[in-house]
Amino acid sequence: FYDCKYDSKSDEFWQKIELPKRADVEYICIGVKASNYFMPPEVLSDKGPGGGGWIHFNKYMQVTKKDGTTWCDGTIFAVGDCNYGCLGAPPNWEMPPVPKISYPGEEQALHAVNNVKILAKGGKNLKPTWWPWGAGMFATSLGPHDACFVLAANHEKGSGYMVNWWIPAALQKEIIESTKINECKNGCIGILIWHFVHHTPVHLFGKGPWFP
């Protein structure tokens, strides 16, 4: 039923997924919600997914106030799920909305660490972030023995291609999780697999420079 769009009000939908009498109970587990309650209101968004509350940041990953000025002299950085996720406004994005998944979080963390090192050495020419090429890859679990993998998605609605599904995709997700944990433990296998993911010498996809 991968190509079947959810529509609980449609009898045709229930017939198509082989539940003509409909489900007894429906659980809707989608969307995201900010948990940045520890940050001052002056740096949190009034809008955004889940009603707002996301940390404003600039292209160098520095936390900013609502007026765009840096907070705490630009010494605090926000990466991954906690930040607002985009820069600018439609249709003239400086950086379109980035999915709140693990890959962009790791990529942004690398960018922030590089800028922390520049500041620590007394430098001022920080390096900007970008829409990561891996942000368009989604491995979504659909149960213990089912999953789907989408490739080449971007901020445009309907983009991307489902290239793997069912048990092969579930195995792929298991490999991703186990090797990432191995990398976090400084394991040889995980490091060998994932090192070049964030040290890609040439970018063929995404919004980053060709030679980062």
Side-chain angles (χ1 to χ4, degrees):
F1 310 116
Y2 295 105
D3 61 346
C4 191
K5 185 176 181 180
Y6 174 77
D7 185 0
S8 62
K9 297 180 180 180
S10 169
D11 290 332
E12 182 182 356
F13 164 77
W14 293 107
Q15 292 287 346
K16 192 171 183 180
I17 65 171
E18 301 176 4
L19 289 173
K21 296 183 180 180
R22 304 196 173 202
D24 296 327
V25 181
E26 296 178 49
Y27 295 94
I28 301 177
C29 304
I30 59 175
V32 292
K33 183 180 180 180
S35 298
N36 300 314
Y37 51 85
F38 55 90
M39 295 294 286
E42 64 193 57
V43 304
L44 300 179
S45 68
D46 296 322
K47 301 179 180 179
W54 307 97
I55 301 174
H56 286 292
F57 69 110
N58 60 21
K59 62 181 179 180
Y60 305 115
M61 307 308 306
Q62 296 167 301
V63 175
T64 65
K65 300 177 182 178
K66 293 179 181 179
D67 60 5
T69 58
T70 54
W71 183 64
C72 288
D73 298 323
T75 58
I76 308 297
F77 295 77
V79 304
D81 290 1
C82 69
N83 68 39
Y84 194 39
C86 61
L87 297 171
N92 301 314
W93 296 107
E94 183 176 1
M95 185 178 74
V98 175
K100 293 187 178 298
I101 55 178
S102 60
Y103 183 98
E106 290 188 355
E107 185 87 345
Q108 291 179 357
L110 179 64
H111 296 170
V113 167
N114 288 336
N115 285 332
V116 169
K117 290 179 178 178
I118 293 173
L119 292 176
K121 294 179 180 178
K124 295 183 179 180
N125 296 322
L126 304 183
K127 296 182 179 180
T129 189
W130 53 75
W131 205 95
W133 67 268
M137 299 188 297
F138 303 86
T140 305
S141 177
L142 300 173
H145 306 297
D146 200 0
C148 62
F149 179 65
V150 175
L151 186 67
N154 56 38
H155 65 285
E156 298 290 345
K157 184 178 180 179
S159 62
Y161 306 92
M162 189 168 68
V163 297
N164 195 10
W165 56 90
W166 195 44
I167 292 178
L171 292 174
Q172 177 188 9
K173 188 171 178 63
E174 184 66 28
I175 292 172
I176 291 172
E177 293 175 353
S178 59
T179 54
K180 281 301 298 180
I181 291 174
N182 183 261
E183 182 200 24
C184 293
K185 294 180 178 179
N186 290 322
C188 180
I189 295 177
I191 291 174
L192 289 174
I193 292 175
W194 293 101
H195 173 78
F196 286 104
V197 171
H198 297 296
H199 296 81
T200 312
V202 178
H203 282 167
L204 300 178
F205 310 100
K207 302 292 184 179
W210 280 90
F211 302 100

